[in-house]
Amino acid sequence: MHTKLRKTLALSVLLIMVLTFVIGCTIGNTREYNRDLFALDTVITLKVFGGRSAKKALDKAAERIREIEDHMSPTLEDSDVSKINRAAGIEPVKVHEDTFYVIKRALNYGKLTGGVFDITIGPIVNLWDIKSEKSKIPDENHIKDKLSLVDYRKVRIDEDNMTVFLEEKGMAVDLGAIAKGYAADEAVRILMKSGVKSALLNLGGNVITIGGKPDGSPWRIGLQDPRSQETGRNHFAIVEVKGATVVSSGDYERYMVDVYERTGERYHHIFDPRTGYPAQSGLMVSTIISASSMDADALSTILFIMGHEEGFKTIEDLGNYEAIAVTLDKDVYITEGLKDGLIPSNDLYNIIEP
Amino acid sequence: MKPKIGDVFVYIFIILLVGLSFIGLKTMGNHEGKLMVQVELDGSIIESVEMPGVETERTAREIRIDAVDGGYNIVKISADGVEIMDADCPDRLCVYSPSIKNPGQSIVCIPHKLIVRIIGQGTENEALDDTAS
């Protein structure tokens, strides 16, 4: 009798031990790997869940982001962008596949929006020089001068030879509104190819997710309150996503606001290619939720410049994208698909049913 | 009846298991409610200090961070929040950045590859994984 009891006990304990071991190993296999890097003129944080292969995938993704920066940075002398700009009005420049693809897509967005999205905004961006401490509002005539150089139709691309040519001297492309999105899409592609099923990436505020959290639930993403300094709140709402990207464009990003607010007016960094001035469409922030981060990057800029009515029309015509537009009066407009998807978290903002 | 050697092993194992879980719970519980200020330079954490509580007397302190390129940032940590007081980076945007005090917030100096973060559990942020900005 005693022996039998003891045997049963021993067996149960053994079973528990084996179970603990197995469960422990399964959990141990899905580890969290983190990486911070400074690239594309911003901070990038990559969080990947998975086994040892996930760590390798993380390295590869980081490397790929660096590669894209090498090609598209306006500050690196050997980048494709610098070469194209130096050769403006002189000769076509052979570029990497990445750069060619991004420019081609960007020009399509230019066509789609009749120039509201224009990568030849470079001369205006440089004139305002938002990053410098001593920057001030440029003189109207200077803005007019530089604005004559902004025209996406004067970018000639040659698919067979992979070259890009800016027709006029002084023209300059700036891929700032789309390069981060492309880098994010590439990082996602590499991670997924390596079998990563759960990841959270943040490229300077652009959030990109692969799958849901390791437990299968969606990621909860806060949407930055564009007036957090006044409201004391961090977010104006929350969205839950799985395998989607959330990209915002706003007038509050630190590059601009504090430098200029001393003058009392808010001169932010998203320029309207039609005026040469920071866009004034009545929005503080625009957000796009979609599968592709590059599209979201471009479309959030487009929505911000166009404003809520025209912007929503353009986006709804394209399909497949959800959008949020927050006006200066703190009204939050949302597209149909977000009716049940946007979680209110801040009573200072008034969500308007579509 | 004398306990067998196998039984002794099982007892030791169970005691160890209980002990370990207890230690684990304690360490995990330790950080609850506390906010940490984490300073990260070029991808690695170089400072991690507790944020002074609001109730305690002002324990403001300034930390000088020597950046990779020879430059510096002065980080001020107090019960009122964390801010960058001075820096010799070209844009000085970090100095213009408003002070932070909620978990999840950060100040970044891109030229010096510096991130100052507040880590911990907060009310508004608690259930959030990230912020799109």
Side-chain angles (χ1 to χ4, degrees):
Chain A
M1 168 65 187
H2 268 142
T3 339
K4 205 182 168 195
L5 187 71
R6 207 177 292 152
K7 256 191 188 164
T8 322
L9 193 76
L11 263 175
S12 339
V13 170
L14 196 73
L15 196 71
I16 291 171
M17 280 172 76
V18 170
L19 271 176
T20 317
F21 184 75
V22 170
I23 292 167
C25 280
T26 331
I27 293 169
N29 259 339
T30 356
R31 274 193 53 196
E32 178 183 332
Y33 298 98
N34 285 290
R35 177 79 44 88
D36 287 346
L37 55 145
F38 287 85
L40 298 164
D41 275 323
T42 190
V43 192
I44 296 174
T45 56
L46 313 174
K47 187 197 288 283
V48 172
F49 294 87
R52 217 171 280 161
S53 64
K55 189 175 183 293
K56 271 190 206 144
L58 184 60
D59 290 335
K60 269 193 255 168
E63 208 175 292
R64 181 75 178 110
I65 292 170
R66 290 245 177 259
E67 198 177 271
I68 292 166
E69 171 177 45
D70 286 346
H71 297 162
M72 295 180 209
S73 161
T75 45
L76 295 175
E77 252 187 50
D78 285 334
S79 74
D80 286 341
V81 166
S82 298
K83 284 183 198 161
I84 293 167
N85 292 346
R86 272 201 301 271
I90 305 168
E91 59 183 357
V93 174
K94 191 165 173 57
V95 297
H96 291 91
E97 234 173 287
D98 288 329
T99 320
F100 192 86
Y101 175 72
V102 169
I103 289 179
K104 195 176 148 191
R105 291 295 299 272
L107 294 177
N108 277 340
Y109 274 114
K111 228 182 278 168
L112 177 82
T113 59
V116 167
F117 188 85
D118 197 328
I119 48 166
T120 63
I121 195 75
I124 292 288
V125 174
N126 296 335
L127 178 68
W128 283 79
D129 191 21
I130 52 160
K131 281 190 189 175
S132 155
E133 189 180 352
K134 293 176 194 77
S135 48
K136 45 183 184 215
I137 304 155
D139 172 294
E140 214 186 308
N141 291 323
H142 278 147
I143 293 177
K144 262 189 200 146
D145 271 1
K146 296 294 179 191
L147 202 55
S148 68
L149 294 166
V150 177
D151 189 348
Y152 71 97
R153 289 164 299 190
K154 290 180 182 163
V155 181
R156 255 190 266 161
I157 58 170
D158 177 342
E159 193 117 37
D160 297 330
N161 298 309
M162 297 277 280
T163 61
V164 178
F165 176 51
L166 305 180
E167 287 179 6
E168 273 178 58
K169 219 173 162 57
M171 281 179 75
V173 291
D174 183 321
L175 301 181
I178 196 166
K180 269 195 287 177
Y182 177 68
D185 286 341
E186 280 297 289
V188 165
R189 186 179 62 81
I190 285 164
L191 292 173
M192 286 179 77
K193 215 172 92 186
S194 309
V196 171
K197 292 191 171 59
S198 174
L200 178 65
L201 320 182
N202 187 322
L203 283 80
N206 296 7
V207 173
I208 304 93
T209 63
I210 296 178
K213 291 197 239 186
D215 68 4
S217 61
W219 303 96
R220 278 171 73 83
I221 309 299
L223 303 173
Q224 169 82 46
D225 183 336
R227 293 294 179 269
S228 55
Q229 276 168 268
E230 298 157 24
T231 64
R233 305 288 287 271
N234 291 340
H235 307 104
F236 72 84
I238 296 165
V239 287
E240 291 189 334
V241 294
K242 270 188 188 180
T245 179
V246 184
V247 178
S248 289
S249 292
D251 65 1
Y252 55 89
E253 278 162 294
R254 55 168 66 92
Y255 291 99
M256 302 296 294
V257 177
D258 290 304
V259 179
Y260 285 107
E261 251 183 348
R262 282 178 294 184
T263 66
E265 244 183 286
R266 196 177 276 262
Y267 291 96
H268 56 78
H269 71 299
I270 303 168
F271 296 100
D272 188 333
R274 299 166 299 190
T275 63
Y277 282 85
Q280 282 187 310
S281 65
L283 295 187
M284 296 197 278
V285 57
S286 60
T287 304
I288 302 289
I289 300 163
S290 79
S292 149
S293 204
M294 177 159 75
D295 290 341
D297 213 358
L299 287 172
S300 68
T301 306
I302 289 167
L303 174 56
F304 188 86
I305 298 173
M306 281 184 173
H308 133 249
E309 268 172 46
E310 195 191 347
F312 269 29
K313 221 178 137 218
T314 306
I315 289 159
E316 276 161 355
D317 285 350
L318 288 171
N320 290 328
Y321 304 99
E322 298 304 334
I324 305 166
V326 182
T327 67
L328 290 163
D329 299 327
K330 300 196 173 72
D331 284 338
V332 181
Y333 290 93
I334 58 177
T335 48
E336 200 68 37
L338 282 173
K339 236 167 137 177
D340 304 310
L342 192 76
I343 304 164
S345 73
N346 188 332
D347 46 21
L348 298 168
Y349 288 83
N350 174 30
I351 297 172
I352 292 168
E353 290 284 319
Chain B
M1 184 198 67
K2 266 183 150 185
K4 287 206 168 163
I5 185 99
D7 295 358
V8 175
F9 268 124
V10 168
Y11 295 144
I12 292 177
F13 177 76
I14 291 170
I15 290 166
L16 265 178
L17 209 70
V18 170
L20 277 176
S21 352
F22 190 70
I23 293 169
L25 272 176
K26 260 209 109 164
T27 35
M28 274 156 90
N30 243 349
H31 294 286
E32 223 172 90
K34 281 182 189 169
L35 293 185
M36 298 296 288
V37 181
Q38 190 173 291
V39 180
E40 205 180 301
L41 196 62
D42 201 8
S44 45
I45 296 162
I46 56 161
E47 285 271 4
S48 189
V49 298
E50 196 181 312
M51 194 140 152
V54 190
E55 272 90 275
T56 60
E57 78 182 73
R58 291 268 196 105
T59 43
R61 58 186 286 196
E62 288 186 0
I63 306 176
R64 185 192 158 97
I65 308 293
D66 292 305
V68 194
D69 68 349
Y72 70 91
N73 301 71
I74 309 284
V75 182
K76 185 182 167 193
I77 300 170
S78 75
D80 290 339
V82 178
E83 59 186 315
I84 306 225
M85 300 303 289
D86 191 23
D88 63 349
C89 51
D91 54 25
R92 285 171 51 86
L93 291 167
C94 55
V95 182
Y96 293 124
S97 296
S99 135
I100 54 170
K101 58 180 173 187
N102 296 321
Q105 287 185 311
S106 59
I107 300 178
V108 177
C109 176
I110 289 172
H112 286 169
K113 304 190 173 187
L114 173 80
I115 311 174
V116 183
R117 275 203 185 97
I118 299 187
I119 293 168
Q121 289 173 347
T123 42
E124 200 187 350
N125 276 353
E126 197 159 25
L128 293 182
D129 298 303
D130 205 349
T131 295
S133 59

